[in-house]
Amino acid sequence: MYDIGFLNGDIYVEGHFFRRNIYISADKIALITEAIETAAEVIDCSGLKIMPGFIDPHVHMALNVGEFTSADDFESGTCAAAFGGVTTILDFLDPIQTLSEFQTVMERRLKEAEGACLDYSFHLTLGNFKALNEIPELLSKAYNRGINSVKVFTTYSDSDRKCSDEIIAAILGTDMLLMAHSENDELVNTAHEEVASFEEARPVLAEMSAVAKLAEIAAYEKGCLYIVHTSAGSTVEMMAKRYSDLLGKRIFLESCPQYFYLTNQSFKGRDGRKFLLAPPLRSEEEQYKLRKQLHRLSTIGTDHCPFMAAEKLQYEGAGKVPKGIGGIEYSFLLMHTLYGDEVIDHFTCRPAKIFGLQEKGCLDIGMDADLVLFDPKGTTVVDSGHSSCDYSPYEGLVLQGKIKSTVSRGNFVVKDGVFLGGKGRYIRRRYCESDHQCYNL
Ligand SMILES: [Zn+2]
């Protein structure tokens, strides 16, 4: 006898939907069948699509940025995420500059994440890390704690977070996945204060030139590179032209819903400051170009990092406004409204493979029972949602479809639109089993 059966849903398997029943034992998928079996509880899923729980590979819960801390902690952020069908989040450790800091940031973040109702894991983050000789030990320590990805910044020298090319090349020479916030520091104007023209302070060329340099180092070192929050269509176009052999195999581009939905026109309005983030929202031309290239992107993350409206509006000049916006609750619906089922892999199997989430990202026997029950005929109107933040940059948009329920390891976290809560677990991640070439996304 199984614990739960989800009956008559359309199940997403390898790019297609099939009418099947899914049976769960404890926290795993035990059976996918056309037959009816006995289960302690059965859920009728007629008319619903059932997908693997979504993975958001890029979030910042309780991120301290000096004077401000992002509005969602792990508890409220994962609650909002669950309403969006997300079942796993990948957050970040605080940036470190020496090996000796690793233990502290790891324990601190584990503590902070205890309230999460969904599963979570962390990326290691380097600031201006100076000791090249400490890198091998650092990476092996991190890997022993289940971390297969290291984030660096190519900008933010003003806050001592810019990572040297020497360190970047060293990491790309290993099996670790290098994640990069890619903006050419010398083309970023941190003194720029006018909000309306904020995009000019961090131009498209800053992103393109930083990404091109990283890609060249990755190609030379035969490393694995993941570009976070790719903002400009021109960057994707350039990568497709120059690195088509590596794109989706060893170089991965992530973008975020904000770059598909919002443009730098938002900075010009009365509430322009509420939209400030880095890299900035781009022109309509860049957005148009980006929208044509979903197939060249490996994943969609949110860079979920909202601040309260009053915090965003506290200072007049762009410099002191905390950068970041929210979006985890509506990420899938935003992208699905634009592209339909073509986006499902960007939220499921691809982030699972890239980030070594071996028991997540697909509906198969033995995998974690992380499910999204999706009503394709429903509609969703965006409001501030279940985040602690008091506004959404997408407020008022009408999106196709409705997330009805979210199941994390066999337990309903959201059921028919009601939050039931849950207990998230820290997920240890692994390198890809054979070699990098097995990524073929
Ligand atoms: Zn980020």
Side-chain angles (χ1 to χ4, degrees), residues 180-346:
H181 174 123
S182 312
E183 289 180 288
N184 182 335
D185 198 51
E186 293 180 23
L187 292 177
V188 169
N189 177 9
T190 50
H192 187 104
E193 286 288 7
E194 192 191 50
V195 174
S197 58
F198 179 68
E199 200 253 339
E200 293 163 29
R202 315 186 79 100
V204 170
L205 183 61
E207 178 173 271
M208 288 177 73
S209 53
V211 171
K213 182 158 106 176
L214 288 164
E216 204 47 43
I217 301 173
Y220 184 86
E221 296 287 352
K222 299 187 169 53
C224 251
L225 173 66
Y226 180 96
I227 304 295
V228 295
H229 52 45
T230 310
S231 65
S234 293
T235 305
V236 184
E237 216 167 57
M238 179 267 299
M239 290 299 288
K241 208 181 279 176
R242 304 214 187 133
Y243 296 97
S244 62
D245 53 330
L246 297 178
L247 212 53
K249 297 189 177 72
R250 280 197 282 118
I251 299 181
F252 309 102
L253 302 179
E254 170 199 274
S255 189
C256 316
Q258 53 267 34
Y259 303 113
F260 289 80
Y261 271 87
L262 307 170
T263 69
N264 57 3
Q265 290 301 315
S266 292
F267 298 145
K268 298 186 169 75
R270 197 169 50 91
D271 278 350
R273 285 168 289 170
K274 281 162 75 173
F275 294 87
L276 286 186
L277 78 174
L281 303 169
R282 300 300 182 188
S283 65
E284 281 171 28
E285 295 75 26
E286 284 297 338
Q287 181 175 83
Y288 179 72
K289 241 190 234 187
L290 180 68
R291 280 189 172 201
K292 287 196 297 190
Q293 300 183 90
L294 180 80
H295 61 290
R296 290 170 171 162
L297 302 169
S298 288
T299 60
I300 298 293
T302 54
D303 201 2
H304 182 81
C305 191
F307 294 91
M308 302 300 275
E311 296 175 328
K312 296 288 273 190
L313 299 173
Q314 185 172 328
Y315 292 104
E316 289 297 325
K320 280 190 162 177
V321 177
K323 310 295 184 303
I325 58 173
I328 198 164
E329 186 162 348
Y330 300 103
S331 178
F332 177 78
L333 291 179
L334 286 162
M335 297 305 290
H336 191 263
T337 296
L338 284 183
Y339 296 100
D341 295 340
E342 195 186 339
V343 297
I344 297 172
D345 290 353
H346 291 73

Side-chain angles (χ1 to χ4, degrees), residues 119-185:
D119 289 348
Y120 51 92
S121 190
F122 306 126
H123 309 292
L124 176 64
T125 308
L126 304 188
N128 180 12
F129 200 96
K130 295 187 185 73
L132 185 64
N133 62 332
E134 288 183 351
I135 288 289
E137 193 183 337
L138 173 66
L139 298 189
S140 95
K141 273 208 159 115
Y143 192 68
N144 287 335
R145 302 295 298 267
I147 295 177
N148 77 344
S149 46
V150 189
K151 160 105 176 278
V152 299
F153 304 92
T154 64
T155 186
Y156 299 131
S157 54
D158 55 324
S159 52
D160 212 23
R161 282 180 291 167
K162 180 180 179 294
C163 188
S164 71
D165 290 348
E166 188 182 40
I167 298 282
I168 286 172
I171 297 169
L172 284 168
T174 72
D175 286 335
M176 274 277 170
L177 176 69
L178 184 92
M179 304 172 78
H181 174 123
S182 312
E183 289 180 288
N184 182 335
D185 198 51

